[in-house]
Amino acid sequence: MRVYLPATIGILRQLVEKGEYLPPTATAFALTPALRESYTSGSTEELEYAALLDAARASLRLIAIAQEPSSTDAKEPPRRVVISADIDRVALRPDLDYAVVKVTGPIGLEDVAAVHVDASEAEPAVLAAAAVIDAADLGDPDAEFTLGDVEDHELAWYAPQELPFLLDLM
């Protein structure tokens, strides 16, 4: 199953350096039967994109944590990162949301199909959105507007073999 894991630049570094990454909450997003049923129409590609966007939004929570002064990621560029991986160790979590799945075990670099990362121009919008992600989830219209600003930025696509070069440029 193709899963979309929310991440940060620091997490991406860990994946490249260690060859694997164990998501701390084991939460990922995917095109699940519940997600498919929640849409009246849409191709598989469109529904997978919806799951990817859910992961990108979850990445904002990780960025908010990474920006705390005590975090080892505090010096990393604040960019949304989504790791797309093909794995079989997945359990559905319809109790959380339509696209949420739980992964069991680490994600190896060999499982990665692609990585999606914000461009540097998105950094101010990412920081602003990370600061209000909880308020947006609680329905604050100003926070939702701020999230809309960051979601206007498309994520760039990178092949797994490009990751060392991408990280060298950061």
Side-chain angles (χ1 to χ4, degrees):
M1 171 182 268
R2 172 71 47 95
V3 298
Y4 302 95
L5 296 124
T8 63
I9 296 297
I11 290 169
L12 200 54
R13 284 190 199 284
Q14 176 187 341
L15 173 64
V16 170
E17 290 169 6
K18 295 183 178 179
E20 67 179 22
Y21 164 63
L22 181 61
T25 63
T27 300
F29 300 83
L31 173 50
T32 64
L35 180 63
R36 188 177 297 280
E37 289 173 16
S38 72
Y39 281 82
T40 57
S41 66
S43 68
T44 296
E45 185 176 293
E46 290 169 326
L47 297 176
E48 285 180 339
Y49 186 68
L52 183 143
L53 292 179
D54 284 347
R57 183 173 276 209
S59 175
L60 292 169
R61 293 184 190 292
L62 298 174
I63 291 166
I65 294 166
Q67 294 303 307
E68 293 175 3
S70 61
S71 171
T72 58
D73 279 354
K75 292 185 172 48
E76 294 288 1
R79 298 189 194 179
R80 294 173 299 163
V81 175
V82 176
I83 300 168
S84 299
D86 295 317
I87 58 171
D88 295 327
R89 305 168 320 275
V90 176
L92 299 178
R93 289 295 311 265
D95 57 312
L96 294 178
D97 201 359
Y98 294 135
V100 176
V101 295
K102 180 180 179 179
V103 297
T104 56
I107 306 300
L109 197 51
E110 68 278 0
D111 300 322
V112 175
V115 174
H116 311 272
V117 181
D118 273 315
S120 61
E121 301 85 47
E123 289 180 15
V126 169
L127 284 173
V132 299
I133 184 71
D134 290 335
D137 283 348
L138 294 173
D140 181 309
D142 292 332
E144 288 177 15
F145 184 77
T146 302
L147 279 184
D149 286 345
V150 78
E151 290 171 350
D152 286 342
H153 294 272
E154 290 291 326
L155 297 170
W157 180 93
Y158 295 93
Q161 61 269 26
E162 295 176 300
L163 298 180
F165 305 108
L166 171 66
L167 293 171
D168 282 346
L169 295 173
M170 301 245 166

